[in-house]
Amino acid sequence: MIFVHEDPEFRLLLELISSTRGVDPGVVEKDYWVTHTLWAIQAQGWELWFKGGTSLSKGFSLIERFSEDLDLRLQPGPGRTLPEVSSWTKDSPSHVASRRAHLEALGRALVIPGAVVQDAPEHWDDRCRNAAYRVEYPRQVETRLGGVLREHVLLEVGDARVTPFVPCDLSSFVHDQLREAGQAGEFIDNRALSVRCVHPLVTALEKLDAISRRFSRDPVEAATFIRHYEDVARVLEALPRLPPLPGSLADLVVEMCALRQLRAPPTADDPAFLGGGGAAWDAVERAYLDIAPMFWGPRVPLSRCCALIRAWLTRPEPPPAP
């Protein structure tokens, strides 16, 4: 058997899906390679945790926006080894060197069938707490999102918070089309199954923290955080359908602050969530319009995003379940 991307008619399949589902052909193609990349990492025996905006889309079906970066935590599984990290937090030269050796070895060890994995040094943290790798795949269709859609899958890897998590099965437009047409059995099943996706509320808290920190900078680089508003809003709208947290939300916030995963508990009176005029909000509103091509579903207006966030941050803590 072969992978579907090895089939001579793969390009025609991508164009068919784009036409019938109203999604940019480059997004359909990249969505497939995102799924294939996650499958390949699992198939090689790596321990994998998945977080961020892409996990909200592919793991929990909360957003209808293409999020092209994969935020991962990877650890060697049975039979795999990497240089030990002496500390992920300390910054002496020896600690930084140990992290660099670990992450460089990880990049060399990753193999994605049909693609090439390369370091993306422009995305590396200068203290080597995080690294990035480009998964370069052979493009077969043209995108209408030039300048918006990267021509590779970007893996961002580091020592991120990964609890609590929910096992999720990840598919793609391509895999869904094959199943609906009764053709899935003709190809290697490279969906990513039982992927440990970090709970959406952890992602929402991290995104609120990022909005608050970046909104306060001068000048405001709204493009770096504008997607977070709608991502958080979609999580909050879906709260009744989300798996329960193992403990209380208040305890989670306290713990994340203590571990410096949040700068401070988010508050409803933060200027980043109030809306209104001024140069900062002008930049945010322009950035909101600029990312419209990344969505294939309805959007949440910025004013509603902020209203949802403020309402959530001022609600009373619900009583614990009996």
Side-chain angles (χ1 to χ4, degrees):
M1 296 180 71
I2 63 172
F3 294 111
V4 64
H5 64 260
E6 296 173 322
D7 189 282
E9 296 186 351
F10 183 54
R11 179 180 62 83
L12 296 178
L13 177 62
L14 297 173
E15 292 173 345
L16 171 65
I17 296 169
S18 173
S19 174
T20 57
R21 303 194 182 226
V23 180
D24 179 84
V27 168
V28 176
E29 183 175 30
K30 192 164 190 178
D31 177 58
Y32 168 80
W33 283 98
V34 163
T35 307
H36 177 67
T37 295
L38 291 168
W39 168 86
I41 292 172
Q42 280 189 316
Q44 291 174 32
W46 296 97
E47 297 290 337
L48 166 67
W49 292 264
F50 186 23
K51 62 182 300 182
T54 314
S55 73
L56 296 180
S57 173
K58 295 190 71 63
F60 299 98
S61 300
L62 295 181
I63 59 176
E64 294 180 305
R65 167 182 64 78
F66 188 68
S67 183
E68 55 187 339
D69 301 340
L70 299 181
D71 296 329
L72 307 176
R73 180 174 175 180
L74 300 178
Q75 291 182 352
R80 287 197 167 274
T81 59
L82 290 174
E84 291 289 335
V85 173
S86 56
S87 171
W88 282 102
T89 58
K90 297 178 181 178
D91 289 331
S92 71
S94 63
H95 290 129
V96 173
S98 77
R99 294 195 292 268
R100 179 178 296 280
H102 175 92
L103 293 169
E104 288 178 344
L106 172 60
R108 292 191 297 269
L110 293 175
V111 177
I112 311 300
V116 176
V117 181
Q118 298 180 332
D119 281 351
E122 67 276 16
H123 296 285
W124 281 55
D125 171 31
D126 59 0
R127 296 179 181 179
C128 294
R129 290 198 181 96
N130 299 281
Y133 315 96
R134 291 190 299 272
V135 179
E136 306 276 2
Y137 57 89
R139 290 197 307 145
Q140 298 203 25
V141 294
E142 293 297 323
T143 179
R144 297 185 293 272
L145 305 180
V148 177
L149 190 70
R150 289 194 182 101
E151 297 182 359
H152 56 266
V153 176
L154 186 68
L155 303 182
E156 297 182 316
V157 180
D159 183 47
R161 182 187 183 92
V162 294
T163 56
F165 62 80
V166 181
C168 299
D169 293 340
L170 311 185
S171 186
S172 71
F173 293 117
V174 167
H175 293 97
D176 293 345
Q177 178 72 23
L178 292 174
R179 286 202 309 277
E180 291 169 10
Q183 297 175 310
E186 300 175 17
F187 303 99
I188 296 171
D189 184 0
N190 57 347
R191 292 171 299 154
L193 304 180
S194 296
V195 175
R196 288 171 285 198
C197 294
V198 175
H199 196 287
L201 281 174
V202 173
T203 300
L205 289 168
E206 292 175 339
K207 286 178 176 286
L208 289 174
D209 188 68
I211 292 172
S212 177
R213 287 185 288 105
R214 296 175 187 178
F215 185 88
S216 64
R217 295 174 183 171
D218 187 18
V220 175
E221 297 180 355
T224 66
F225 63 88
I226 187 60
R227 292 174 290 184
H228 297 341
Y229 283 100
E230 287 176 271
D231 289 357
V232 173
R234 290 300 189 191
V235 172
L236 300 183
E237 288 177 333
L239 281 175
R241 308 192 307 273
L242 294 182
L245 290 169
S248 74
L249 179 66
D251 288 344
L252 176 63
V253 172
V254 169
E255 179 184 326
M256 292 179 71
C257 289
L259 295 173
R260 298 186 180 180
Q261 295 162 345
L262 299 176
R263 181 182 60 174
T267 60
D269 60 355
D270 190 310
F273 310 136
L274 296 179
W281 271 103
D282 288 345
V284 168
E285 290 170 353
R286 286 194 300 271
Y288 177 86
L289 297 176
D290 288 343
I291 64 170
M294 300 297 291
F295 290 78
W296 63 79
R299 302 192 64 185
V300 184
L302 270 175
S303 58
R304 175 162 172 76
C305 293
C306 291
L308 285 167
I309 291 168
R310 292 195 304 271
W312 185 60
L313 294 177
T314 55
R315 85 219 176 291
E317 179 75 14

